[in-house]
Structures are given as structure tokens and as C-alpha cells.
Amino acid sequence: MKIPKERKTYCPKCKKHTLHTVLESKRRKASELKWGQRQFRRVTSGYRGYPRPLPSGNKPTKKLDLRYKCKECGKSHIKRSTFRAGKVEFIQQ
């Protein structure tokens, strides 16, 4: 999938729309301390087994995490994409 290197979008620091550079960000490992994960560990522990039907198969691709870096203030923020992509290519527009 081809994504433009620069995009005008909202900057939460400047509180206005500015030009941002777009980078691909690696997804970090999910936290073991989140409530859902703690509940899952509690339910699956012991002799009860898995609490719901096992998921069948994996998705073919992952959703992207795109990092937007503001050109005015230099701050960056991450926005989870709404689409899936196998290969990502950043192009100059």
C-alpha cells in the first residue's frame, strides 16, 4: 500500500491542523497488567481451561500504527490505522 510521506492533520500539542511527516511505528507488546489480561489469566488458571471458543486461524495482515510527527512543534503522536496492509511504501506527493 502506498502512503504519502507528508500529511496535513490535527496536532494535539499545537491544537490545530499542521503538516506532519508520516512514519511506520512498531506495535509494542500488549501489557500484562491491563484489566482484560489480568481477568483472562485468572479465568484460565487452574483446571477450568479456556473460557471461550478458541479463535480459528489468524488474520492475513496486521493493522498499522502510523506515527505522525508535527513539522512545527516536533512532537509526534501515534494513530492506529483503520486498514490492513501487508507491505507499506511511503511516497513523496
Side-chain angles (χ1 to χ4, degrees):
M1 177 170 234
K2 293 182 180 176
I3 298 173
K5 280 184 183 177
E6 293 182 341
R7 183 178 173 196
K8 192 170 185 182
T9 187
Y10 182 76
C11 176
K13 173 78 170 151
C14 300
K15 295 192 168 118
K16 59 183 179 180
H17 279 74
T18 57
L19 199 63
H20 287 67
T21 54
V22 185
L23 306 163
E24 189 177 2
S25 175
K26 283 191 176 180
R27 305 250 336 258
R28 64 185 176 96
K29 189 175 178 284
S31 174
E32 286 284 324
L33 300 174
K34 295 284 187 178
W35 177 82
Q37 193 61 33
R38 292 196 316 264
Q39 182 192 31
F40 178 75
R41 294 283 181 231
R42 188 176 69 240
V43 170
T44 53
S45 67
Y47 296 104
R48 283 173 276 172
Y50 210 75
R52 50 181 114 24
L54 285 167
S56 59
N58 293 331
K59 297 282 186 183
T61 56
K62 298 278 184 192
K63 285 187 177 181
L64 293 174
D65 277 356
L66 295 176
R67 182 182 295 275
Y68 293 96
K69 186 172 182 181
C70 181
K71 286 207 163 188
E72 285 187 21
C73 63
K75 295 282 185 179
S76 64
H77 64 278
I78 296 175
K79 198 182 286 186
R80 179 89 183 264
S81 67
T82 56
F83 53 85
R84 297 176 180 275
K87 288 183 180 177
V88 179
E89 184 184 335
F90 293 101
I91 57 169
Q92 193 69 40
Q93 260 188 331

